[in-house]
Amino acid sequence: MAHTHNKQGLKIIYRVIVIFKFFKKIFSVNEPTASEVEAGQESRAKIYPRSEHCISRAQISENALKVLQRLKKADYDAYLVGGCVRDLLLGREPKDFDVATNASPEQVKQVFRNCRIIGRRFRLAHVFFGREIIEVATFRGSETAESDRQVVHEDGRLLRDNVFGTLEEDVWRRDFTVNALYYNIRDFSVVDYTGGMQDHANAVLRLIGDPDVRYREDPVRMLRAIRFAVKLGFTLHPDTEQPIHTQAELLKSIPAARLYDEALKLFLAGYGVQTFEMLRHFGLFAMLFPDTDKCLETQDHDFPRLFLIRALENSDSRFADGKSLTPYFLLAALLWEPLQLAAEKRIQQGEHETIAYQNAANEVLSRQIKITAMPRHITQSMRDVWFLQNKFSKTFGARPYRLLEQPKFRAAYDFLQLRAETGGADPQLVDWWTRFQAADEDLRRKMTAPPKGNASKGKGKPRRYRTRKKPEAPQ
Ligand code: ATP
Ligand code: MG
């Protein structure tokens, strides 16, 4: 009898332990505290449970949630990662949503019908939902581990890193700590290996690892540092900031097509003015637009800096108003002063003005495309805007009508307006064109009627509106 009592007592104790363990498991999944997780893949990671961060599913694109949930259902790990987590933590709407997973691209493709595998260097899966694309990347292997699939150039540049890996390895190849946060769809926690949450709270942009090595691996990270610091309103950590001053030259090794893409992100994302100032401060602007930088060094009465600032302000406010932004307008502004100097030199050497401008444009553009590879349709539009500038002074007869019909008229007129605002063109001319566009047929005819008699015909040269002094002639 006593024996059966003992047996039953043990059974009850055992059951209590099982139930206790069960509840402990449930609660630790839903509400773990931010703590070092000792074992397994997430060693050294800090886990911020849902209650300790502000990312809510309501802010996440429905399509990104679908991708995360379906990967989870198929028993894969799935996280939001990169810029979207960083932006969500700031309460901003992310530009796009990137997913990281332990599923290979082929496995991702098996889960989604609307999926395409892209990329040769590192294969990624794109999942399509109408116009929205969710990029799904398989965790990438460590950059530092010895592997025959990685190639490091002798100057330290990373040429290939196409090895799949674990989440922990994926973390260390990312650039900044705030870009290396992972939002886990399993428990809605944020996984942080690099102190990104703390840096985020302190508004600090910090490169992961040894900055010297990381900039050498990929010098574009210097441009990204400036871009994110400005966009997020973060300060650069001193260790992240310091090497930029001395390593800017490394950008010379970057292919021109990539630098063109980066230049657009730098100047056409709504923060052009601040980005421009900061790039100049670090000597990075000179790497992107050396001719323009040279002009800025010899500036006179804040010219041409003021013109560039106004052009950038113009782009920034268009961005803020949700208007379209065309790269050629700003690029035409950035290279306007080098064009002027090159054309003037040619005119002094006896070339006809029109020919001088055409040759100068060829000269300036062919130098620039070696650094930032603008596509042909962009350089053609830049030329259109430039060459139309000289035509605005012809306000008599049929010419103004023809100018009005030019496809790039509006951009060229806006360009003229910017020049006039900063002392580079006649404000009365802008005024004339503003009135001409608004005028009815009758008024247009009056405005373009040739002046009576020869009184004002061909009297002297038109005033030049550049305030810059001519460079001193060599002795
Ligand atoms: P944005 O808002 O401009 O898209 P982002 O952080 O999402 O910012 P992406 O260029 O879309 O920037 O890159 C996505 C993520 O990939 C980054 O957050 C970062 O983790 C990683 N990454 C991108 N470029 C690099 C790089 N050059 N070096 C290391 N990691 C990078
Ligand atoms: Mg992004």
Side-chain angles (χ1 to χ4, degrees):
M1 193 69 185
H3 178 71
T4 357
H5 263 302
N6 270 351
K7 231 180 161 183
Q8 265 189 343
L10 277 174
K11 260 187 186 168
I12 289 168
I13 290 169
Y14 177 72
R15 273 193 195 141
V16 167
I17 290 172
V18 168
I19 290 167
F20 177 74
K21 275 192 174 169
F22 174 72
F23 277 106
K24 196 178 161 210
K25 198 173 168 197
I26 288 181
F27 287 118
S28 66
V29 166
N30 288 340
E31 284 297 311
T33 53
S35 61
E36 302 275 344
V37 178
E38 297 290 325
Q41 193 194 49
E42 284 170 357
S43 60
R44 287 190 287 144
K46 243 182 169 190
I47 310 291
Y48 289 82
R50 175 65 191 90
S51 58
E52 287 182 32
H53 66 74
C54 63
I55 298 177
S56 116
R57 268 161 290 165
Q59 300 166 281
I60 301 172
S61 118
E62 273 181 30
N63 295 327
L65 282 174
K66 267 187 216 159
V67 170
L68 292 167
Q69 296 287 7
R70 293 222 339 240
L71 284 170
K72 184 181 98 172
K73 240 182 161 177
D75 249 359
Y76 296 112
D77 296 337
Y79 299 83
L80 279 185
V81 65
C84 60
V85 179
R86 179 197 70 213
D87 291 348
L88 287 171
L89 286 167
L90 284 173
R92 294 185 183 204
E93 195 183 331
K95 223 169 55 185
D96 40 39
F97 290 86
D98 294 332
V99 169
T101 180
N102 60 349
S104 70
E106 287 72 21
Q107 287 169 326
V108 175
K109 201 169 161 55
Q110 277 166 11
V111 178
F112 302 97
R113 267 189 306 124
N114 46 335
C115 172
R116 195 176 304 153
I117 296 176
I118 59 138
R120 269 191 303 158
R121 199 179 85 121
F122 189 83
R123 280 167 308 129
L124 300 165
H126 274 178
V127 186
F128 292 85
F129 297 90
R131 289 180 63 192
E132 191 178 9
I133 298 173
I134 306 296
E135 190 168 288
V136 183
T138 308
F139 296 140
R140 218 175 282 191
S142 140
E143 284 179 350
T144 47
E146 283 295 314
S147 161
D148 56 359
R149 278 170 296 180
Q150 289 173 16
V151 179
V152 178
H153 196 256
E154 59 188 15
D155 66 4
R157 224 158 16 108
L158 205 63
L159 299 181
R160 275 197 276 134
D161 62 321
N162 49 357
V163 197
F164 295 139
T166 61
L167 186 151
E168 176 162 13
E169 287 172 322
D170 194 75
V171 167
W172 302 105
R173 59 112 191 150
R174 293 187 180 271
D175 47 7
F176 302 100
T177 61
V178 295
N179 281 351
L181 295 167
Y182 295 69
Y183 173 83
N184 190 351
I185 198 62
R186 264 184 218 285
D187 57 5
F188 316 122
S189 65
V190 172
V191 183
D192 177 10
Y193 278 88
T194 63
M197 286 294 264
Q198 199 55 51
D199 285 340
H200 205 287
N202 297 333
V204 168
L205 195 72
R206 184 205 308 256
L207 208 52
I208 297 170
D210 177 347
D212 265 325
V213 175
R214 300 308 308 282
Y215 285 140
R216 228 165 254 287
E217 274 175 6
D218 182 5
V220 168
R221 288 173 186 150
M222 291 185 276
L223 299 177
R224 290 173 62 85
I226 307 304
R227 180 155 70 85
F228 293 133
V230 170
K231 173 179 156 175
L232 306 171
F234 282 18
T235 43
L236 291 171
H237 186 277
D239 295 346
T240 300
E241 176 179 345
Q242 190 270 328
I244 303 180
H245 292 286
T246 52
Q247 299 203 13
E249 296 266 331
L250 292 176
L251 281 171
K252 287 185 176 158
S253 64
I254 301 299
R258 184 163 180 219
L259 276 193
Y260 175 67
D261 290 345
E262 286 302 319
L264 297 192
K265 287 187 205 162
L266 285 162
F267 294 117
L268 295 179
Y271 305 90
V273 175
Q274 277 170 280
T275 305
F276 166 73
E277 300 285 18
M278 212 158 154
L279 287 173
R280 286 209 74 215
H281 170 76
F282 285 101
L284 292 166
F285 185 74
M287 296 298 120
L288 293 173
F289 294 96
D291 286 359
T292 314
D293 196 72
K294 247 178 250 149
C295 293
L296 287 162
E297 271 166 17
T298 59
Q299 68 178 335
D300 191 44
H301 297 104
D302 221 10
F303 194 91
R305 187 178 158 277
L306 208 56
F307 171 65
L308 290 184
I309 295 287
R310 280 293 298 118
L312 289 160
E313 274 173 1
N314 189 50
S315 297
D316 290 350
S317 62
R318 283 185 73 91
F319 185 92
D321 295 343
K323 291 186 189 158
S324 67
L325 277 179
T326 46
Y328 70 80
F329 186 86
L330 191 64
L331 288 164
L334 283 167
L335 294 173
W336 176 242
E337 189 61 9
L339 175 79
Q340 298 296 304
L341 292 189
E344 257 167 38
K345 210 164 135 198
R346 287 172 172 277
I347 292 167
Q348 274 170 20
Q349 287 165 356
E351 274 184 27
H352 181 271
E353 185 166 322
T354 313
I355 305 291
Y357 266 89
Q358 278 169 5
N359 287 337
N362 290 342
E363 202 186 295
V364 168
L365 288 173
S366 66
R367 266 203 303 269
Q368 187 61 41
I369 54 173
K370 289 195 188 108
I371 306 166
T372 58
M374 293 93 82
R376 187 173 279 279
H377 72 275
I378 295 290
T379 53
Q380 187 50 51
S381 302
M382 292 166 73
R383 284 174 207 268
D384 291 346
V385 169
W386 286 340
F387 298 154
L388 288 179
Q389 296 305 304
N390 287 341
K391 301 204 165 134
F392 280 111
S393 56
K394 314 281 175 4
T395 53
F396 300 124
R399 282 175 166 179
Y401 293 93
R402 286 209 297 269
L403 196 53
L404 214 50
E405 296 304 313
Q406 295 287 327
K408 290 290 178 293
F409 169 82
R410 184 67 210 194
Y413 163 78
D414 288 346
F415 199 86
L416 177 73
Q417 203 162 21
L418 277 188
R419 290 173 55 216
E421 280 170 22
T422 50
D426 181 359
Q428 284 181 359
L429 193 60
V430 178
D431 188 47
W432 190 93
W433 279 98
T434 311
R435 283 186 290 116
F436 183 66
Q437 288 175 79
D440 60 19
E441 204 36 57
D442 203 30
L443 182 55
R444 280 187 179 177
R445 216 172 306 124
K446 281 186 195 140
M447 287 176 79
T448 53
K452 290 202 175 79
N454 286 337
S456 61
K457 240 187 181 177
K459 267 206 164 171
K461 280 197 146 195
R463 187 187 150 190
R464 286 185 79 86
Y465 273 88
R466 288 184 54 236
T467 52
R468 172 192 275 274
K469 281 185 207 141
K470 290 236 165 71
E472 301 243 333
Q475 298 294 308

